[in-house]
């Protein structure tokens, strides 16, 4: 069976009925991110009817939309008012081969999407002002409001963002919108050693330059190979301020040697869009991992993988080295054990982003949680969805 | 031509190959007269002979490329008109391919150019991304964002509305109607599955009607030509390898008589796979077999006993002979005879040997020369006052169509119509307008 309730009321009836019989449900917006996470089991519960912008008040920096509203449409609407979603949500389409521009705002919150600007602006979690949802009990819940401050009770937004639909079916989301920067320029430091390039990025991140993105594209990152290691630093804001900071940045980078080139306008935008959507690894044939580590450990991780026998096909760094995208030649277990061992030694998290459904069912897609945290997750899950019907198996095999 | 390569340099099989080609050139300069870029700029360095000298000098002295060499090689359309003209059989294509790969490796283009070429190779070869980059209207994150400045030419190139992806382009088998005469694999070109899905649909209808079983093989895709012309050898080899493996699996599983290609630019490249992988112990034999099996769709239709049912109106058709067909694959007669057999009046275009300026991604990278060539081509076509323009290559269709109101259709759409298929949509639309 597949359900496509017409409104929140109907949705709550569908969920309550399923909960009574402990029938699992698989929530979809457009289905663009179905390839992430463990394959969940259950009848399809499509929220596609809950689509459309309910309210947009640019002066108040707030937008309310049904959960299945396409992000592309929202971004276009914001752009027409010179605003944007500052957390720069990644479009997973190209990576997962599902076609680009299909994601919905509910999916964006469910995976806690973010992009290169995360180092400055945070992730979806930090921009969700409130939401409405139907919990796994079938109850309609409203959380948060239209302003960032939320003094009453818990901030449930922080909980549902990144929950992959395991806690509740989101029906409506209130997002904070922000003015888009007036100009955006990218300085690219070319031809240094990889480690030096990453050191430069960390130095920039520690300096008062307010860089809004710091990534390193290594030489040979086919097909987006720029021919040499390229450390890219994005500065945004009013024109005068960007120009001033660019000068300061040049000074700061002098000791690193290497060439310096500036990309403006469209070139800068397309570079960051490509990095945001993980293009340098997306077109390679293989399993794709997204690893979070401390920025100072990114290089150590890649070096360890290179020294090991793991078949690393390509990689690049975002977030000044704190996020490493990896592509490894296909293997039934996606090389999860040795990779996680390398990541654990540094204290990070590895998520398997692209692999066949069989592989995603066989290995831990998300980094295993330490026992205390796992117990906490379980208690949270049970308070929202005691019958374990929402996205069963999506995050972890046991619920 | 006398050459002075060091023995060490000649140990590289690519260099050895190029040396052989260079030696064949007798400097007669016949080729310059038929080279489109020389026609426009009048600069010897923008002619085949000039480029051959530049390449020789670069390779012989084992020098890295510089901005001047890159500029003149970038301006070459790879139309291969020079190869048709050359009395001495100089294989200019393999020479310029090698030189381009050398430029890509040894010359640092300005960063913006590198990024643009990288994105272009990425976007054009990946249907999903390409679709997005063209879906400008209404989407702020459409093409204006995805592509850097000059690449926005893609917008001009895109039809106003993009067709939905066609089910024809998914891996599957289309059985032959009546007795099966042959079994062929169809290459579903990358950009074509986004820009104009009707061409593959017409091809499948036409071929199955004529008795061919048509396979869209799992795992086959972009032929790699776009990356190849950008000098991105490893990327183009990866695409080619996938196709070779996919079709080889198909040969071993269900058997194949031919690989059919209805985008002649891709056809030239598939027919060259054997050469590309000549030094690859694992793939050389398979690649050579695939190349030997590759055919332009017009060759297959001609072999299949095409008959008109009198279905189509006897329109006046200007047939534009794509460079990749006439110079790259030396196919000139088949499409014309087929169109005649289909009941159309075919007109021959003056200066038919000169390129329309499309040339893969050339019209995006060298818009000025490309537009001059397009306008020259259109003046020649329009002098015939045709009702329809036909061509066997999507790139040419888009390029020519961007400057005229005369409908441009693929040859197979007309042949499909004449033998019982639907009237090409472009003609219905034009008649209605
Ligand atoms: C009931 C429930 C159960 C869950 N079970 C699991 C589970 O078993 N395993 C699991 O992985 N997720 C689990 N999650 C989801 C998890 O909480 C995240 O929300 C999820 O991984 C989404 O990723 P993200 O984009 O938030 O990742 P991120 O926010 O990028 O973070 C992923 C992890 O990396 C860490 N991190 C981020 N940046 C850095 C940095 N620079 N240096 C070092 N560390 C960094 C974060 O602290 C976080 O722990 C569960 C969620 C719920 C609601
Ligand atoms: S391929 Fe075409 S453009 Fe290039 S040199 Fe030959 S004739 Fe001239
Ligand atoms: S026509 Fe052939 S032999 Fe003559 S110059 Fe051109 S390439 Fe050389």
């Amino acid at each position: 069976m597949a359900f496509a309730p017409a409104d929140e009321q109907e949705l709550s009836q569908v969920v309550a009925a399923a909960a009574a019989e402990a029938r699992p449900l698989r929530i979809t917006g457009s289905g663009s991110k179905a390839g992430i996470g463990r394959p969940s089991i259950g009848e399809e519960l499509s929220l596609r009817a809950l689509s459309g912008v309910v309210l947009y008040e640019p002066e108040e920096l707030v937008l309310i939309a049904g959960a299945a509203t396409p992000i592309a449409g929202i971004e276009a609407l914001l752009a027409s008012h010179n605003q944007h979603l500052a957390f720069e949500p990644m479009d997973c389409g190209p990576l997962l081969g599902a076609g680009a521009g299909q994601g919905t705002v509910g999916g964006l919150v469910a995976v806690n999407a973010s992009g290169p600007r995360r180092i400055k602006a945070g992730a979806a979690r930090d921009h969700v002002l409130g939401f409405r949802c139907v919990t796994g009990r079938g109850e309609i819940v409203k959380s948060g409001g239209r302003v960032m401050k939320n003094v009453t009770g818990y901030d449930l937004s922080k909980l549902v963002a990144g929950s992959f639909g395991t806690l509740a079916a989101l029906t409506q989301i209130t997002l904070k919108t922000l003015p888009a920067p007036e100009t955006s320029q990218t300085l690219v430091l070319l031809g240094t050693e990889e480690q030096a390039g990453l050191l430069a990025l960390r130095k920039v991140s520690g300096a008062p330059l307010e860089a809004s993105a710091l990534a390193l594209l290594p030489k040979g990152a086919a097909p987006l190979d720029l021919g040499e290691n390229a450390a890219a630093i994005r500065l945004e804001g009013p024109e005068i301020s960007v120009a001033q900071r660019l000068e300061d940045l040049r000074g700061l980078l002098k000791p690193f040697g290497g060439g310096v080139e500036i990309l403006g306008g469209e070139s800068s935008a397309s570079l960051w869009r490509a990095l945001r959507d993980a293009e340098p690894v997306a077109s390679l044939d293989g399993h794709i991992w997204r690893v979070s580590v401390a920025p100072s450990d990114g290089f150590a991780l890649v070096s360890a993988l290179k020294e090991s026998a793991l078949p690393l096909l390509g990689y690049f760094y975002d977030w000044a080295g704190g996020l490493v995208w990896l592509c490894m030649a296909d293997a039934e277990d996606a090389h999860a054990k040795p990779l996680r061992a390398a990541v654990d030694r540094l204290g990070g998290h590895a998520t398997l982003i692209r692999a066949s459904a069989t592989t995603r069912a066989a290995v831990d897609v998300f980094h295993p949680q330490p026992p205390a945290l796992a117990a906490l997750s379980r208690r949270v899950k049970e308070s929202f969805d005691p019958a374990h019907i929402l996205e069963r198996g999506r995050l972890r095999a046991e619920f | 031509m006398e050459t002075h390569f060091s023995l060490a340099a000649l140990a590289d099989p690519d260099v050895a190959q190029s040396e052989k080609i260079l030696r064949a050139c007798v400097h007669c300069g016949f080729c310059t007269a038929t080279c489109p870029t020389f026609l426009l700029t009048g600069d010897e360095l923008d002619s085949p002979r000039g480029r051959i000298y530049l390449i020789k000098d670069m390779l012989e002295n084992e020098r890295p490329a510089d901005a001047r060499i890159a500029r003149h090689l970038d301006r070459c359309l790879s139309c291969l008109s020079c190869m048709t003209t050359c009395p001495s059989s100089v294989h200019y294509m393999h020479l310029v391919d090698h030189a381009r790969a050398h430029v890509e490796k040894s010359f640092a283009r300005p960063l913006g150019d590198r990024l643009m070429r990288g994105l272009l190779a990425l976007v054009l070869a990946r249907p999903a991304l390409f679709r997005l980059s063209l879906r400008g209207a209404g989407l702020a994150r459409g093409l204006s964002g995805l592509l850097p400045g000059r690449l926005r030419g893609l917008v001009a190139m895109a039809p106003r509305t993009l067709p939905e992806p066609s089910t024809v382009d998914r891996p599957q088998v289309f059985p032959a109607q009546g007795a099966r005469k042959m079994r062929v694999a169809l290459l579903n070109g990358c950009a074509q599955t986004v820009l104009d899905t009707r061409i593959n649909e017409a091809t499948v209808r036409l071929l199955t009607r004529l008795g061919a079983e048509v396979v869209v093989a799992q795992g086959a895709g972009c032929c790699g030509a776009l990356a190849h012309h950008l000098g991105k050898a490893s990327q183009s080899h990866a695409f080619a390898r996938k196709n070779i493996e996919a079709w080889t699996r198909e040969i071993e599983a269900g058997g194949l008589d031919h690989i059919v290609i209805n985008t002649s630019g891709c056809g030239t490249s598939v027919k060259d796979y054997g050469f590309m992988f000549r030094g690859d112990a694992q793939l050389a034999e398979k690649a050579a077999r695939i190349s030997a099996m590759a055919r332009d769709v017009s060759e297959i239709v001609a072999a299949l006993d095409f008959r008109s049912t009198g279905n189509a109106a006897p329109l006046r058709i200007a047939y534009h002979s794509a460079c990749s067909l006439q110079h790259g694959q030396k196919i000139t007669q088949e499409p014309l005879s087929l169109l005649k057999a289909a009941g159309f009046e075919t007109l021959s275009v003056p200066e038919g040997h000169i390129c329309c300026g499309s040339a893969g991604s050339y019209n995006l990278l060298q818009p000025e020369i490309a537009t001059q060539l397009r306008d020259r081509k259109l003046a020649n076509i329009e002098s015939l006052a045709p009702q329809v323009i036909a061509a066997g290559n999507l790139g040419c269709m888009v390029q020519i169509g961007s400057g005229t109101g005369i409908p441009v259709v693929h040859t197979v759409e007309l042949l499909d119509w004449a033998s019982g298929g639907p009237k090409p949509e472009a003609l219905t639309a034009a008649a209605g307008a």
Side-chain angles (χ1 to χ4, degrees), chain A residues 9 66 92 118 133 271 295 299 306 329 350 371:
Chain A
Q9 275 302 326
C92 310
R118 184 172 193 158
C133 71
L271 172 66
F299 181 75
K306 282 182 179 167

Side-chain angles (χ1 to χ4, degrees), chain A residues 236-259:
Chain A
E236 296 174 312
E239 220 154 299
I240 308 175
S241 148
V242 170
Q244 179 56 52
R245 283 182 286 146
L246 260 181
E247 276 322 298
D248 297 350
L249 180 57
R250 280 178 197 274
L252 186 76
L253 293 176
K254 272 252 161 60
F256 290 91

Side-chain angles (χ1 to χ4, degrees), chain B residues 183-189 215-224 239-261 266-267 269-271 273 286-287 289-291 293-294:
Chain B
R183 189 167 195 271
V184 300
L186 174 66
L187 170 72
N188 297 36
V215 184
V216 177
Q218 180 87 49
C222 174
C223 69
F239 281 120
R241 179 184 301 273
K242 269 175 121 176
N243 284 345
I244 293 167
E245 282 165 356
W247 288 325
T248 300
R249 277 195 301 273
E250 200 53 50
I251 293 171
E252 283 158 9
L256 282 179
D257 297 305
H258 298 293
I259 317 281
V260 182
I261 297 126
C266 307
S269 120
V270 176
K271 287 182 175 180
Y273 281 178
K286 289 179 185 166
R289 174 164 65 168
I290 296 295
S291 287
M293 289 169 73

